[in-house]
Amino acid sequence: MTFEEYTQAVEKLNLYAYHYYVLDDPLTTDEVYDKLYHEVVGFEHNNKEKILKDSPTQRVGDVISSGFSKAKHLSRMWSLEDVFDADGLQKWLTKTYKLDTNISFYCEPKFDGASLNLIYKNGELFQGITRGDGVVGEDITQNVKTIRSIPLSIEHQKTIEIRGEVVIFKDEFDKINLERIKQGEAVFANPRNAAAGSLRQLDSSITAARNLVFLPYGVGVNELDHKLLSEKMEYIYSLGFKKPPQRARCKDYKEIQDIYEVMKSERESYPMMLDGMVVKVNEIAAQIDMGYTVKNPRFSVAYKFPAVEKITTLKDIVLQVGRTGAVTPVAIVEPTDIEGVVVERATLHNFDEIERKDIRIGDKVIILRSGDVIPKIIKVLTHERSGKEKKLSRPSVCPVCGSELLDEGVLLKCQNLKCEARVVNSIIYFASKPCLNIDGLGEKIVEQLYNADLVKSVLDLFDLSLEKLLRLEGFKEKKAHNLLRAIENAKGCEYWRFINALGIEHIGEVASKTLSEAFGERFLEVSKEEIIACEGIGEEMAESLLEFIRVNRESIIQLQEILHPKEPEQKAEAKENPFKGTTVVLTGTMSESRGAIKEMLESLGAKVSSSVSKKTNFLIYGEDAGSKYDKAESLGVKTLSEDEMRQLLREGS
Ligand code: IVH
């Protein structure tokens, strides 16, 4: 590799990374990236003096510091005044309009993470500094360099401070905590703590592993001459920074209120946590005129979302035994309204967690509810204890069947296959939506059937009769008929549902689909090698599957004979047509739903992707096509209107 080739390779890698980490729109595969990366590493190994500062190899976190030195921000980092409701916003506006009437606003999410100041000099990342007291923070440049959404170099040559929030995406947060539970470490209470903690690691390889994301929200020292903040921000994004999932220019109270409602209702669908929306006066000249109070800018306010954290009392801890035998503690709390939902239970993860946090019955605790996840206890208010709180000791026997528990540290397990809780829960699971989807067979009915000795295993479901059901309390003809019909309807289900319904540990919906497609009925006979060869199935899953088959072969076969699940069909090969084997992206409003058009194209053998890249063969657009269209044009991707697509199909077939 010559130096010139090396320079080009670095540029290419940075472009790939930008598309992957900033635009969420990969240009290539991991394999292509890795191959080029290794070539770059090879060159650098032999030419240490020629290593470019913005080479991706310079991001690897292998720097261990003994502590962080202090560093001064070039200009102060402020905080924000908070308002909590429409009334508060109205008051803030009145106050602000008194300073200037001729203003508009720029609104963006208030990200819940750790603030960070980036100083760029001569187009290169010079320093990354934590907020600290706003004047002086800690120099965490080494760690900051591992964050892939922070460019190491930018086109802007003059000195500039770019400020933003470092966050951890929600899915990444769950992954980290799961891993921590496995390692017996304390879990992070929320993504904000996780982000802040990860930024301040002395070993930068830990920071690197956490997949942090930087979202810019403003500038400090700068020589930009945009008249509007919104223009400034567009410029910052164009330098290679990530855009927020939502932003808007608003002219008045009503428009601010509208976009606030949008963000509030969409917040669960964003990958990162938000705790509100920030409203900023958009005109830079007005901002400068308005200036600052001792703490906050006058031109900006944080309009918070309703709290999802509340203080309540822990009334009891009950033990649940799942279908796999895992015993999990569940907190019963004083019913508390959090954003319109009354919370009465919260997860406690496991006993190690209870011991580590020293959670006692009677404690005042902070609970967090976010979206559809189960509420959890994030903190115990130990200073509020009266002394009457009771510790819960680690159970040694199953709370349901009384048999001795297997204590694996984090996991406590009831090993009795006949334990009522295990049986009942596996029947409930068997009937649930992603399994056989049997209507009317929920928790209460399953318990009733079990207690009446009518159903002691899933096989018994298929021996139910009208006569048997009518003996039960609450069962009249109609209800009994409906249940029998729903059970009957499960016959002939898709094969993956059958596999999923067996409730094999570690084998969920996705793996069931994979196994079903790969093996169908033959899945009872496959070897470990064959299983592991399937995409997304690892050793642990394969072993769990094989063990399950070994123990339950007879009942699986019996169940299969009753259910006759449908073997997956081999997809018929599409006839020759202009879209067969192509990659297509759809955008804009079409004459039918995009879902319907997607299905049609897929049946023709096309792959329908959600984002445009160089690999896209066609962009098919309807009315109001947006940025995907522009992108296709700029990449030279062929664009077709919906009519042109239909025309091509008529001609092609
Ligand atoms: S503007 C002029 N915009 O919230 C003051 N801050 O409570 C600078 N934050 O320390 C803040 N998202 O770390 C601003 N879109 C956003 C933000 C945001 C999160 C954080 C920031 C700041 C804190 C103030």
Side-chain angles (χ1 to χ4, degrees):
M1 195 184 239
T2 64
F3 181 67
E4 197 176 309
E5 283 164 342
Y6 163 70
T7 312
Q8 281 168 3
V10 166
E11 247 174 57
K12 207 164 185 180
L13 287 174
N14 284 339
L15 183 74
Y16 288 157
Y18 171 66
H19 275 260
Y20 189 89
Y21 292 102
V22 177
L23 302 180
D24 290 325
D25 186 14
L27 284 182
T28 187
T29 59
D30 290 1
E31 197 186 343
V32 171
Y33 182 93
D34 290 345
K35 186 160 173 283
L36 195 58
Y37 186 91
H38 277 104
E39 287 171 27
V40 161
V41 170
F43 179 89
E44 291 180 348
H45 184 75
N46 300 323
N47 301 276
K48 295 217 162 58
E49 69 297 342
K50 290 189 183 150
I51 297 178
L52 292 170
K53 279 207 175 125
D54 63 345
S55 162
T57 60
Q58 301 309 294
R59 291 187 184 275
V60 287
D62 55 2
V63 182
I64 300 187
S65 348
S66 51
F68 300 113
S69 49
K70 299 269 177 241
K72 209 167 173 308
H73 301 293
L74 302 182
S75 68
R76 182 165 165 186
M77 286 184 85
W78 300 85
S79 22
L80 291 172
E81 179 187 337
D82 291 330
V83 296
F84 299 93
D85 49 26
D87 189 44
L89 173 69
Q90 191 64 270
K91 287 198 176 112
W92 178 79
L93 280 172
T94 310
K95 194 164 74 180
T96 309
Y97 278 129
K98 274 191 193 145
L99 302 171
D100 196 333
T101 47
N102 204 7
I103 48 174
S104 62
F105 305 91
Y106 181 65
C107 298
E108 60 184 3
K110 183 166 192 297
F111 302 109
D112 205 5
S115 43
L116 177 66
N117 186 26
L118 299 174
I119 303 179
Y120 286 87
K121 286 186 178 173
N122 304 316
E124 275 170 17
L125 176 62
F126 170 70
Q127 258 180 338
I129 312 175
T130 61
R131 182 179 182 284
D133 64 2
V135 178
V136 174
E138 284 177 318
D139 184 334
I140 53 164
T141 313
Q142 281 311 332
N143 290 345
V144 163
K145 281 188 178 168
T146 69
I147 303 176
R148 310 301 293 251
S149 44
I150 296 180
L152 298 180
S153 66
I154 55 177
E155 257 173 34
H156 186 85
Q157 294 300 311
K158 294 196 174 125
T159 297
I160 186 169
E161 285 181 297
I162 298 179
R163 272 127 193 219
E165 201 81 352
V166 172
V167 301
I168 283 193
F169 283 180
K170 291 181 271 192
D171 55 352
E172 184 67 24
F173 172 75
D174 292 340
K175 256 192 256 165
I176 293 174
N177 268 351
L178 213 64
E179 192 49 39
R180 291 177 77 87
I181 290 174
K182 274 198 200 152
Q183 303 295 334
E185 293 168 298
V187 296
F188 287 117
N190 51 46
R192 179 185 353 119
N193 290 2
S198 305
L199 264 188
R200 295 189 69 265
Q201 292 292 327
L202 292 173
D203 175 355
S204 64
S205 66
I206 300 182
T207 314
R210 294 279 168 82
N211 290 330
L212 299 169
V213 176
F214 178 77
L215 292 146
Y217 57 65
V219 290
V221 157
N222 72 92
E223 291 178 44
L224 306 174
D225 49 15
H226 305 96
K227 301 262 180 306
L228 298 176
L229 173 66
S230 51
E231 293 166 358
K232 239 181 225 200
M233 292 312 296
E234 292 310 310
Y235 178 70
I236 300 297
Y237 304 139
S238 80
L239 293 176
F241 290 89
K242 205 168 170 72
K243 291 178 188 167
Q246 179 68 263
R247 61 194 190 282
R249 292 171 57 173
C250 301
K251 57 179 195 308
D252 54 14
Y253 168 79
K254 173 156 188 321
E255 287 189 2
I256 296 174
Q257 194 58 40
D258 285 350
I259 190 71
Y260 175 79
E261 290 302 331
V262 171
M263 280 192 212
K264 195 170 84 178
S265 64
E266 285 179 353
R267 66 195 276 212
E268 299 302 344
S269 69
Y270 298 155
M272 71 292 278
M273 292 261 277
L274 316 187
D275 61 347
M277 179 177 93
V278 184
V279 185
K280 300 170 183 179
V281 170
N282 201 17
E283 290 73 15
I284 304 287
Q287 284 194 357
I288 295 171
D289 271 356
M290 292 177 180
Y292 301 82
T293 67
V294 272
K295 267 172 51 194
N296 309 317
R298 291 199 181 85
F299 50 83
S300 184
V301 73
Y303 188 178
K304 300 291 276 271
F305 292 142
V308 286
E309 290 180 8
K310 278 276 174 76
I311 295 177
T312 182
T313 307
L314 178 64
K315 292 201 304 191
D316 198 4
I317 295 177
V318 296
L319 302 173
Q320 273 182 350
V321 184
R323 65 186 162 84
T324 61
V327 179
T328 41
V330 175
I332 307 293
V333 299
E334 197 61 50
T336 309
D337 186 312
I338 307 187
E339 254 198 285
V341 173
V342 178
V343 174
E344 297 183 71
R345 308 174 135 234
T347 65
L348 285 168
H349 298 291
N350 54 56
F351 270 89
D352 282 9
E353 190 65 13
I354 296 180
E355 282 157 20
R356 199 175 309 113
K357 286 191 178 158
D358 188 19
I359 299 176
R360 304 180 190 177
I361 296 170
D363 268 337
K364 286 248 180 302
V365 294
I366 299 181
I367 47 173
L368 170 84
R369 183 183 86 86
S370 71
D372 40 9
V373 301
I374 311 161
K376 53 187 168 198
I377 292 186
I378 56 169
K379 199 176 168 58
V380 181
L381 303 178
T382 41
H383 58 277
E384 301 233 5
R385 280 191 178 147
S386 67
K388 290 201 187 118
E389 294 75 15
K390 279 204 299 284
K391 275 198 182 187
L392 185 78
S393 53
R394 211 177 162 91
S396 56
V397 294
C398 173
V400 178
C401 70
S403 62
E404 199 173 317
L405 295 177
L406 173 73
D407 194 334
E408 294 183 328
V410 176
L411 214 69
L412 285 175
K413 244 175 140 174
C414 168
Q415 288 182 290
N416 173 10
L417 283 172
K418 300 218 155 63
C419 170
E420 173 175 344
R422 293 191 64 169
V423 175
V424 167
N425 282 319
S426 54
I427 300 172
I428 295 170
Y429 180 75
F430 183 79
S432 68
K433 274 217 164 62
C435 296
L436 292 187
N437 195 11
I438 302 177
D439 249 0
L441 204 54
E443 196 174 325
K444 287 232 170 65
I445 304 286
V446 173
E447 272 168 13
Q448 193 181 10
L449 293 169
Y450 184 91
N451 292 331
D453 285 338
L454 287 179
V455 178
K456 292 285 184 191
S457 80
V458 292
L459 285 166
D460 295 339
L461 286 172
F462 301 94
D463 285 334
L464 286 173
S465 64
L466 199 59
E467 190 213 333
K468 286 183 186 167
L469 287 178
L470 288 177
R471 275 190 256 140
L472 297 175
E473 205 186 306
F475 270 88
K476 299 235 169 62
E477 292 256 334
K478 186 160 175 226
K479 185 167 168 183
H481 268 301
N482 285 348
L483 182 57
L484 290 173
R485 187 168 335 110
I487 294 174
E488 194 58 28
N489 283 345
K491 294 182 180 169
C493 65
E494 292 141 294
Y495 206 84
W496 68 265
R497 288 185 180 275
F498 169 67
I499 299 182
N500 200 27
L502 296 173
I504 308 166
E505 216 174 342
H506 305 305
I507 305 285
E509 187 175 328
V510 176
S512 298
K513 285 182 180 162
T514 309
L515 291 169
S516 156
E517 260 172 44
F519 311 118
E521 236 176 72
R522 216 170 61 77
F523 98 98
L524 281 167
E525 316 302 335
V526 286
S527 68
K528 185 164 168 190
E529 288 67 35
E530 280 180 282
I531 305 173
I532 296 178
C534 293
E535 171 110 13
I537 300 199
E539 188 115 352
E540 195 180 14
M541 293 162 97
E543 275 165 12
S544 163
L545 174 66
L546 289 171
E547 176 63 9
F548 188 90
I549 294 174
R550 190 181 69 77
V551 178
N552 301 292
R553 178 180 292 275
E554 278 316 304
S555 359
I556 303 175
I557 293 173
Q558 254 177 300
L559 204 55
Q560 181 161 285
E561 278 166 4
I562 296 172
L563 280 170
H564 286 296
K566 283 195 297 264
E567 286 263 0
E569 291 166 29
Q570 291 304 321
K571 279 194 192 125
E573 179 142 352
K575 284 191 301 200
E576 278 316 308
N577 71 74
F579 294 103
K580 187 171 169 183
T582 62
T583 301
V584 177
V585 174
L586 305 176
T587 185
T589 315
M590 311 220 175
S591 65
E592 287 178 83
S593 76
R594 280 218 292 268
I597 295 183
K598 177 169 186 262
E599 249 176 49
M600 173 191 78
L601 287 165
E602 282 173 347
S603 72
L604 292 170
K607 184 170 160 262
V608 180
S609 152
S610 59
S611 57
V612 181
S613 74
K614 275 197 246 163
K615 280 191 271 168
T616 311
N617 300 96
F618 297 103
L619 177 99
I620 301 172
Y621 60 92
E623 271 172 52
D624 295 325
S627 58
K628 286 186 191 169
Y629 184 93
D630 302 335
K631 182 152 178 222
E633 291 269 273
S634 73
L635 289 175
V637 170
K638 182 147 182 55
T639 59
L640 295 173
S641 69
E642 186 187 341
D643 283 346
E644 283 168 334
M645 166 192 80
R646 294 190 190 276
Q647 180 71 26
L648 209 60
L649 279 175
R650 280 193 294 272
E651 287 164 3
S653 56

PDB file of all heavy atoms in Angstrom, residues 47-64:
ATOM      1  N   ASN A  47       4.753   2.037   9.083  1.00  0.00           N
ATOM      2  CA  ASN A  47       5.013   3.464   8.812  1.00  0.00           C
ATOM      3  C   ASN A  47       4.495   4.328   9.959  1.00  0.00           C
ATOM      4  O   ASN A  47       3.628   5.177   9.768  1.00  0.00           O
ATOM      5  CB  ASN A  47       4.311   3.902   7.513  1.00  0.00           C
ATOM      6  CG  ASN A  47       4.775   3.098   6.307  1.00  0.00           C
ATOM      7  OD1 ASN A  47       5.794   3.410   5.707  1.00  0.00           O
ATOM      8  ND2 ASN A  47       4.030   2.058   5.983  1.00  0.00           N
ATOM      9  N   LYS A  48       4.999   4.070  11.157  1.00  0.00           N
ATOM     10  CA  LYS A  48       4.439   4.710  12.349  1.00  0.00           C
ATOM     11  C   LYS A  48       4.454   6.236  12.264  1.00  0.00           C
ATOM     12  O   LYS A  48       3.565   6.906  12.783  1.00  0.00           O
ATOM     13  CB  LYS A  48       5.200   4.259  13.596  1.00  0.00           C
ATOM     14  CG  LYS A  48       5.022   2.776  13.871  1.00  0.00           C
ATOM     15  CD  LYS A  48       4.928   2.478  15.353  1.00  0.00           C
ATOM     16  CE  LYS A  48       4.331   1.111  15.625  1.00  0.00           C
ATOM     17  NZ  LYS A  48       5.036  -0.041  15.022  1.00  0.00           N
ATOM     18  N   GLU A  49       5.479   6.757  11.564  1.00  0.00           N
ATOM     19  CA  GLU A  49       5.599   8.213  11.524  1.00  0.00           C
ATOM     20  C   GLU A  49       4.579   8.833  10.566  1.00  0.00           C
ATOM     21  O   GLU A  49       4.361  10.037  10.578  1.00  0.00           O
ATOM     22  CB  GLU A  49       7.039   8.627  11.172  1.00  0.00           C
ATOM     23  CG  GLU A  49       7.517   8.324   9.744  1.00  0.00           C
ATOM     24  CD  GLU A  49       7.557   6.815   9.373  1.00  0.00           C
ATOM     25  OE1 GLU A  49       7.549   5.963  10.280  1.00  0.00           O
ATOM     26  OE2 GLU A  49       7.583   6.498   8.170  1.00  0.00           O
ATOM     27  N   LYS A  50       3.927   8.020   9.749  1.00  0.00           N
ATOM     28  CA  LYS A  50       3.007   8.573   8.751  1.00  0.00           C
ATOM     29  C   LYS A  50       1.534   8.441   9.152  1.00  0.00           C
ATOM     30  O   LYS A  50       0.638   8.768   8.374  1.00  0.00           O
ATOM     31  CB  LYS A  50       3.227   7.870   7.400  1.00  0.00           C
ATOM     32  CG  LYS A  50       4.543   8.229   6.760  1.00  0.00           C
ATOM     33  CD  LYS A  50       4.598   7.693   5.343  1.00  0.00           C
ATOM     34  CE  LYS A  50       5.951   7.979   4.717  1.00  0.00           C
ATOM     35  NZ  LYS A  50       6.298   6.956   3.739  1.00  0.00           N
ATOM     36  N   ILE A  51       1.276   7.940  10.367  1.00  0.00           N
ATOM     37  CA  ILE A  51      -0.119   7.693  10.780  1.00  0.00           C
ATOM     38  C   ILE A  51      -0.925   8.999  10.778  1.00  0.00           C
ATOM     39  O   ILE A  51      -0.511  10.000  11.363  1.00  0.00           O
ATOM     40  CB  ILE A  51      -0.169   7.051  12.186  1.00  0.00           C
ATOM     41  CG1 ILE A  51       0.511   5.683  12.141  1.00  0.00           C
ATOM     42  CG2 ILE A  51      -1.603   6.926  12.685  1.00  0.00           C
ATOM     43  CD1 ILE A  51       0.563   4.963  13.473  1.00  0.00           C
ATOM     44  N   LEU A  52      -2.060   8.974  10.099  1.00  0.00           N
ATOM     45  CA  LEU A  52      -2.911  10.171  10.043  1.00  0.00           C
ATOM     46  C   LEU A  52      -3.699  10.314  11.339  1.00  0.00           C
ATOM     47  O   LEU A  52      -4.150   9.319  11.916  1.00  0.00           O
ATOM     48  CB  LEU A  52      -3.884  10.065   8.863  1.00  0.00           C
ATOM     49  CG  LEU A  52      -3.247  10.136   7.474  1.00  0.00           C
ATOM     50  CD1 LEU A  52      -4.265   9.766   6.403  1.00  0.00           C
ATOM     51  CD2 LEU A  52      -2.670  11.528   7.225  1.00  0.00           C
ATOM     52  N   LYS A  53      -3.909  11.568  11.747  1.00  0.00           N
ATOM     53  CA  LYS A  53      -4.587  11.814  13.025  1.00  0.00           C
ATOM     54  C   LYS A  53      -6.035  11.362  13.000  1.00  0.00           C
ATOM     55  O   LYS A  53      -6.614  11.038  14.025  1.00  0.00           O
ATOM     56  CB  LYS A  53      -4.534  13.304  13.348  1.00  0.00           C
ATOM     57  CG  LYS A  53      -3.210  13.718  13.950  1.00  0.00           C
ATOM     58  CD  LYS A  53      -3.396  14.939  14.825  1.00  0.00           C
ATOM     59  CE  LYS A  53      -2.115  15.309  15.537  1.00  0.00           C
ATOM     60  NZ  LYS A  53      -1.709  16.677  15.307  1.00  0.00           N
ATOM     61  N   ASP A  54      -6.643  11.391  11.815  1.00  0.00           N
ATOM     62  CA  ASP A  54      -8.049  10.987  11.793  1.00  0.00           C
ATOM     63  C   ASP A  54      -8.228   9.547  11.323  1.00  0.00           C
ATOM     64  O   ASP A  54      -9.315   9.139  10.944  1.00  0.00           O
ATOM     65  CB  ASP A  54      -8.890  11.957  10.958  1.00  0.00           C
ATOM     66  CG  ASP A  54      -8.475  11.980   9.503  1.00  0.00           C
ATOM     67  OD1 ASP A  54      -7.369  11.463   9.192  1.00  0.00           O
ATOM     68  OD2 ASP A  54      -9.243  12.499   8.685  1.00  0.00           O
ATOM     69  N   SER A  55      -7.148   8.773  11.385  1.00  0.00           N
ATOM     70  CA  SER A  55      -7.292   7.349  11.069  1.00  0.00           C
ATOM     71  C   SER A  55      -8.174   6.693  12.132  1.00  0.00           C
ATOM     72  O   SER A  55      -8.042   6.979  13.324  1.00  0.00           O
ATOM     73  CB  SER A  55      -5.912   6.691  11.077  1.00  0.00           C
ATOM     74  OG  SER A  55      -6.074   5.295  11.181  1.00  0.00           O
ATOM     75  N   PRO A  56      -9.070   5.790  11.716  1.00  0.00           N
ATOM     76  CA  PRO A  56      -9.945   5.148  12.704  1.00  0.00           C
ATOM     77  C   PRO A  56      -9.165   4.356  13.747  1.00  0.00           C
ATOM     78  O   PRO A  56      -9.669   4.103  14.831  1.00  0.00           O
ATOM     79  CB  PRO A  56     -10.843   4.237  11.868  1.00  0.00           C
ATOM     80  CG  PRO A  56     -10.189   4.105  10.544  1.00  0.00           C
ATOM     81  CD  PRO A  56      -9.350   5.339  10.346  1.00  0.00           C
ATOM     82  N   THR A  57      -7.919   4.001  13.434  1.00  0.00           N
ATOM     83  CA  THR A  57      -7.132   3.265  14.429  1.00  0.00           C
ATOM     84  C   THR A  57      -6.839   4.141  15.642  1.00  0.00           C
ATOM     85  O   THR A  57      -6.548   3.638  16.717  1.00  0.00           O
ATOM     86  CB  THR A  57      -5.775   2.811  13.842  1.00  0.00           C
ATOM     87  OG1 THR A  57      -5.061   3.988  13.436  1.00  0.00           O
ATOM     88  CG2 THR A  57      -5.962   1.893  12.662  1.00  0.00           C
ATOM     89  N   GLN A  58      -6.916   5.447  15.451  1.00  0.00           N
ATOM     90  CA  GLN A  58      -6.629   6.361  16.555  1.00  0.00           C
ATOM     91  C   GLN A  58      -7.777   6.412  17.565  1.00  0.00           C
ATOM     92  O   GLN A  58      -7.705   7.083  18.579  1.00  0.00           O
ATOM     93  CB  GLN A  58      -6.329   7.768  16.032  1.00  0.00           C
ATOM     94  CG  GLN A  58      -5.156   7.807  15.083  1.00  0.00           C
ATOM     95  CD  GLN A  58      -3.938   7.114  15.682  1.00  0.00           C
ATOM     96  OE1 GLN A  58      -3.380   7.568  16.666  1.00  0.00           O
ATOM     97  NE2 GLN A  58      -3.549   5.966  15.118  1.00  0.00           N
ATOM     98  N   ARG A  59      -8.871   5.704  17.248  1.00  0.00           N
ATOM     99  CA  ARG A  59      -9.998   5.682  18.180  1.00  0.00           C
ATOM    100  C   ARG A  59      -9.897   4.528  19.155  1.00  0.00           C
ATOM    101  O   ARG A  59     -10.630   4.482  20.111  1.00  0.00           O
ATOM    102  CB  ARG A  59     -11.307   5.502  17.410  1.00  0.00           C
ATOM    103  CG  ARG A  59     -11.707   6.688  16.566  1.00  0.00           C
ATOM    104  CD  ARG A  59     -13.083   6.432  16.012  1.00  0.00           C
ATOM    105  NE  ARG A  59     -13.527   7.464  15.101  1.00  0.00           N
ATOM    106  CZ  ARG A  59     -14.115   8.601  15.473  1.00  0.00           C
ATOM    107  NH1 ARG A  59     -14.313   8.847  16.751  1.00  0.00           N
ATOM    108  NH2 ARG A  59     -14.497   9.481  14.587  1.00  0.00           N
ATOM    109  N   VAL A  60      -9.041   3.542  18.849  1.00  0.00           N
ATOM    110  CA  VAL A  60      -9.084   2.361  19.700  1.00  0.00           C
ATOM    111  C   VAL A  60      -8.742   2.740  21.122  1.00  0.00           C
ATOM    112  O   VAL A  60      -7.811   3.485  21.385  1.00  0.00           O
ATOM    113  CB  VAL A  60      -8.158   1.217  19.229  1.00  0.00           C
ATOM    114  CG1 VAL A  60      -8.725   0.569  18.002  1.00  0.00           C
ATOM    115  CG2 VAL A  60      -6.760   1.720  19.027  1.00  0.00           C
ATOM    116  N   GLY A  61      -9.539   2.226  22.019  1.00  0.00           N
ATOM    117  CA  GLY A  61      -9.357   2.633  23.401  1.00  0.00           C
ATOM    118  C   GLY A  61      -8.344   1.747  24.069  1.00  0.00           C
ATOM    119  O   GLY A  61      -8.691   0.745  24.655  1.00  0.00           O
ATOM    120  N   ASP A  62      -7.064   2.098  23.990  1.00  0.00           N
ATOM    121  CA  ASP A  62      -6.126   1.297  24.772  1.00  0.00           C
ATOM    122  C   ASP A  62      -5.280   2.201  25.658  1.00  0.00           C
ATOM    123  O   ASP A  62      -4.157   1.900  25.996  1.00  0.00           O
ATOM    124  CB  ASP A  62      -5.254   0.426  23.858  1.00  0.00           C
ATOM    125  CG  ASP A  62      -4.535   1.266  22.819  1.00  0.00           C
ATOM    126  OD1 ASP A  62      -4.693   2.499  22.862  1.00  0.00           O
ATOM    127  OD2 ASP A  62      -3.822   0.699  21.990  1.00  0.00           O
ATOM    128  N   VAL A  63      -5.861   3.356  26.019  1.00  0.00           N
ATOM    129  CA  VAL A  63      -5.106   4.277  26.849  1.00  0.00           C
ATOM    130  C   VAL A  63      -5.617   4.169  28.285  1.00  0.00           C
ATOM    131  O   VAL A  63      -6.806   4.237  28.526  1.00  0.00           O
ATOM    132  CB  VAL A  63      -5.287   5.727  26.356  1.00  0.00           C
ATOM    133  CG1 VAL A  63      -4.462   6.677  27.205  1.00  0.00           C
ATOM    134  CG2 VAL A  63      -4.892   5.832  24.898  1.00  0.00           C
ATOM    135  N   ILE A  64      -4.691   3.947  29.198  1.00  0.00           N
ATOM    136  CA  ILE A  64      -5.098   3.877  30.605  1.00  0.00           C
ATOM    137  C   ILE A  64      -4.497   5.077  31.331  1.00  0.00           C
ATOM    138  O   ILE A  64      -3.293   5.275  31.328  1.00  0.00           O
ATOM    139  CB  ILE A  64      -4.643   2.560  31.247  1.00  0.00           C
ATOM    140  CG1 ILE A  64      -5.299   1.410  30.459  1.00  0.00           C
ATOM    141  CG2 ILE A  64      -5.013   2.506  32.724  1.00  0.00           C
ATOM    142  CD1 ILE A  64      -5.113   0.045  31.026  1.00  0.00           C
TER     143      ILE A  64
END
